[in-house]
Amino acid sequence: MAFPKNFLWGGAVAANQCEGAYLEDGKGLSVPDMLLGGNVNTPRTFLPQIDETAFYPSHESIDFYHHYKEDIALFAEMGWNVFRLSINWGRIYPNGDDEEPNEAGLAFYDSVFDECHKYGMEPLVTLCHYEIPWNIVTKYHGFYNRETIDLFLKYVKTCFERYKNKVKYWLTFNEINIAMMVGGGLGDLYGLGLMQDEDINSTERIPLNKLKHDDQQTLIGLHNQFVASALAVIEGHKINPDFMIGNMIAHGTMYPLTPNPKDMLFVQEMEHNKNDYCGDVQVRGAYPVWARKMVLDMGCDPSFMDNEEDAKILKEGVVDFYTFSYYQTSCVTTKTDVEMTAGNMSYRAKNPYLKASDWGWQIDPDGLLYTIRVLSDRYPGTPLMIVENGLGAFDKVEEDGSIHDTYRIDYFRPHIQAMQKALDEGHKLIGYTTWGPIDLVSAGTGEFAKRYGFVYVNKHDDGSGDFSRSRKDSFFWYKKVIASNGTDLD
Ligand code: BG6
């Protein structure tokens, strides 16, 4: 079955995971610039001062900053009509609270968007993909502080005004639910730019899973982010009524591990807490009925929900479409003695029916169909878009330079078939951007070795590599899929 004629096919990256050039042309430090690499067994670490002797994966990354023309040409060769990327806030306002924007940063994205349009590719722009300026973390405690709403709005309006004729599709915050999903200091830092003073002032390296955390602050930070996102939608529509402004949720679909009704209830509560709490506010414009009790059960004070002015903003600033990342599913249970496995920055019960990637993420294409059905029922009429999906794997370069990544093709094929089934059932799915269509730095582990790309990049975890690009087998496969509009998946 062919996909709809105007279906959006492409790939997705984040500035901090591909651009490099971390201080070039006036860019300021942002959160990922402070993080060292880890791997599947060792968490990434943080140091408040840059250690000049250490290797920071995002500082050079894959150097998209200097290779974007070559990279966008490769994306065009695959036939994309959409490219999801983020603007790095710190390129536009290096400290987050500067008076004037940085013209060199603005000019860079002008060139990137022009390059996309040259090939008939629509940019889909994430305004904040874990890239909060470091100064906003240390001086304001991220979104825990309401002042950060204004700083974000200023940055967003600058982007909307500047690119109003070049960008139509926008997303406010990447995986806005990550702080709920992860439930610790790691989620606070990535999602909210929130870190406790004791950690900010530490002189020791801190593993990210050991960062300090306070649930109440997380909930207030998220509330402020909901308001910031809604205000961005409102302002964006004033600047260009044709803008399509969406949210972005890390959809952690969960199954009960056993048919015990207690597990069934538990999975429902977990879905509410991890996925729906954020999604409902952004799509329906209000906290769901169970939210107050959920917050109380977390031992927190829900009075942040009572601000009438905020409630009006949330109602008015609902998103135009719902986007989500989908990599894997997991199980939850009230039992404690069960085997666990890793997922997207989370750790839950292992599903005995599923195989997993080398990083433990359980591969579940049926779960994608299930997720689309759930979201389509939950938010009737709201267009859905999958803006991240893919397989992080070790790739082997053959002597002749070829890379036979059949495992990646085998991952994508059934996921695309799941989308076909969803479309056949009538669900409003408008597009698909795979994650990391070109190898880049892993957000979770900071590795280069965890490769997602159709395009291989010669760059490695010891810092070696010449940044040269080459096409993997999956490159030619995805090109064929797009050319046939989803009918040729062989
Ligand atoms: C999502 C993020 O959580 O998953 C991306 O939006 C991230 O930034 C992707 O890279 C894959 O996760 P990882 O940890 O394998 O890079």
Side-chain angles (χ1 to χ4, degrees):
M1 195 194 94
F3 280 64
K5 224 173 76 217
N6 50 359
F7 191 79
L8 296 167
W9 290 103
V13 300
N16 74 87
Q17 291 171 256
C18 71
E19 283 178 2
Y22 84 116
L23 290 179
E24 209 164 312
D25 292 335
K27 182 185 162 293
L29 288 172
S30 49
V31 168
D33 299 325
M34 311 303 292
L35 307 181
L36 295 128
N39 59 44
V40 66
N41 301 312
T42 320
R44 301 187 73 171
T45 49
F46 156 82
L47 245 191
Q49 302 298 332
I50 298 282
D51 172 359
E52 300 295 344
T53 63
F55 177 65
Y56 286 81
S58 75
H59 289 190
E60 286 190 315
S61 191
I62 58 158
D63 199 29
F64 177 82
Y65 195 76
H66 299 106
H67 289 75
Y68 67 93
K69 290 194 178 168
E70 176 188 351
D71 293 343
I72 292 172
L74 283 164
F75 302 157
E77 194 182 322
M78 279 185 269
W80 296 7
N81 54 9
V82 66
F83 173 29
R84 177 179 174 229
L85 70 163
S86 68
I87 294 178
N88 199 326
W89 185 346
R91 280 202 196 284
I92 311 301
Y93 287 97
N95 300 296
D97 58 359
D98 314 74
E99 278 300 310
E100 296 299 327
N102 171 32
E103 177 53 34
L106 287 166
F108 169 68
Y109 294 105
D110 263 324
S111 312
V112 170
F113 300 145
D114 289 345
E115 206 62 22
C116 292
H117 287 298
K118 190 165 122 187
Y119 299 103
M121 218 182 277
E122 282 291 339
L124 162 61
V125 175
T126 317
L127 288 155
C128 187
H129 192 130
Y130 302 155
E131 283 136 356
I132 295 177
W134 185 239
N135 181 51
I136 291 188
V137 179
T138 54
K139 189 161 155 196
Y140 299 87
H141 294 103
F143 277 89
Y144 176 53
N145 186 337
R146 274 192 86 99
E147 282 182 68
T148 303
I149 300 178
D150 297 332
L151 300 175
F152 178 71
L153 249 277
K154 184 173 172 182
Y155 153 66
V156 162
K157 283 206 241 170
T158 303
C159 295
F160 285 163
E161 287 289 358
R162 176 80 172 216
Y163 308 122
K164 63 177 175 238
N165 299 319
K166 295 188 181 182
V167 178
K168 175 180 173 185
Y169 297 99
W170 300 90
L171 305 179
T172 54
F173 293 98
N174 182 63
E175 299 189 329
I176 194 168
N177 60 326
I178 204 71
M180 299 302 282
M181 186 63 78
V182 181
L186 193 161
D188 290 346
L189 179 63
Y190 275 64
L192 304 168
L194 167 61
M195 196 184 240
Q196 303 298 318
D197 282 333
E198 201 183 323
D199 288 339
I200 291 176
N201 299 324
S202 154
T203 49
E204 307 279 315
R205 278 194 191 193
I206 312 173
L208 295 191
N209 60 348
K210 295 278 186 307
L211 289 172
K212 312 243 168 350
H213 161 79
D214 175 315
D215 275 342
Q216 182 74 53
Q217 292 188 9
T218 303
L219 291 165
I220 290 173
L222 253 183
H223 174 82
N224 292 340
Q225 226 172 34
F226 295 151
V227 173
S229 173
L231 284 168
V233 173
I234 295 166
E235 291 302 322
H237 287 155
K238 280 189 210 152
I239 291 168
N240 185 345
D242 290 337
F243 278 173
M244 287 277 289
I245 309 175
N247 67 341
M248 200 302 206
I249 301 281
H251 206 280
T253 299
M254 290 169 242
Y255 306 140
L257 185 66
T258 76
N260 183 337
K262 295 270 182 272
D263 275 3
M264 200 60 217
L265 285 178
F266 187 48
V267 84
Q268 199 169 38
E269 287 156 17
M270 287 284 280
E271 287 266 8
H272 280 172
N273 183 295
K274 308 288 176 205
N275 299 319
D276 306 332
Y277 181 75
C278 296
D280 285 9
V281 175
Q282 293 191 298
V283 179
R284 295 175 174 167
Y287 283 98
V289 283
W290 40 261
R292 196 169 288 271
K293 178 74 169 64
M294 185 198 90
V295 169
L296 286 167
D297 287 349
M298 288 168 73
C300 298
D301 172 5
S303 57
F304 61 85
M305 294 178 180
D306 298 330
N307 181 321
E308 286 179 16
E309 197 48 42
D310 286 356
K312 275 194 223 141
I313 293 167
L314 296 181
K315 184 115 262 131
E316 201 187 332
V318 293
V319 289
D320 300 316
F321 64 128
Y322 179 107
T323 81
F324 62 105
S325 56
Y326 179 88
Y327 292 93
Q328 91 291 317
T329 56
S330 58
C331 291
V332 297
T333 177
T334 49
K335 285 168 50 170
T336 48
D337 56 338
V338 295
E339 198 181 342
M340 305 290 279
T341 190
N344 190 1
M345 298 203 212
S346 56
Y347 205 67
R348 305 204 200 291
K350 194 169 170 180
N351 186 331
Y353 296 97
L354 299 178
K355 294 206 172 88
S357 77
D358 288 331
W359 278 260
W361 297 24
Q362 302 178 116
I363 301 168
D364 184 8
D366 290 331
L368 179 57
L369 175 59
Y370 172 77
T371 303
I372 296 168
R373 286 177 180 167
V374 165
L375 291 171
S376 176
D377 286 348
R378 190 167 191 92
Y379 307 123
T382 302
L384 302 174
M385 180 162 175
I386 299 155
V387 293
E388 287 186 28
N389 173 239
L391 178 75
F394 295 108
D395 286 329
K396 180 167 172 262
V397 185
E398 304 294 339
E399 268 180 27
D400 64 358
S402 55
I403 298 150
H404 304 305
D405 56 341
T406 41
Y407 38 89
R408 188 164 289 112
I409 297 171
D410 291 344
Y411 175 94
F412 280 121
R413 186 183 296 109
H415 284 86
I416 293 178
Q417 285 164 337
M419 294 195 292
Q420 271 171 330
K421 286 185 196 150
L423 284 162
D424 197 29
E425 287 176 5
H427 303 293
K428 214 167 163 182
L429 185 65
I430 60 167
Y432 178 65
T433 54
T434 67
W435 177 253
I438 181 165
D439 295 343
L440 35 63
V441 175
S442 154
T445 64
E447 290 169 288
F448 287 97
K450 189 180 187 188
R451 295 176 182 272
Y452 283 89
F454 302 122
V455 176
Y456 182 87
V457 180
N458 180 16
K459 183 71 188 167
H460 307 278
D461 291 316
D462 58 3
S464 66
D466 62 4
F467 299 110
S468 59
R469 275 64 170 152
S470 52
R471 297 165 184 79
K472 305 181 194 175
D473 286 359
S474 58
F475 178 99
F476 302 102
W477 178 83
Y478 194 45
K479 180 177 175 176
K480 197 175 62 168
V481 170
I482 297 175
S484 66
N485 201 16
T487 53
D488 187 352
L489 302 179
D490 289 342

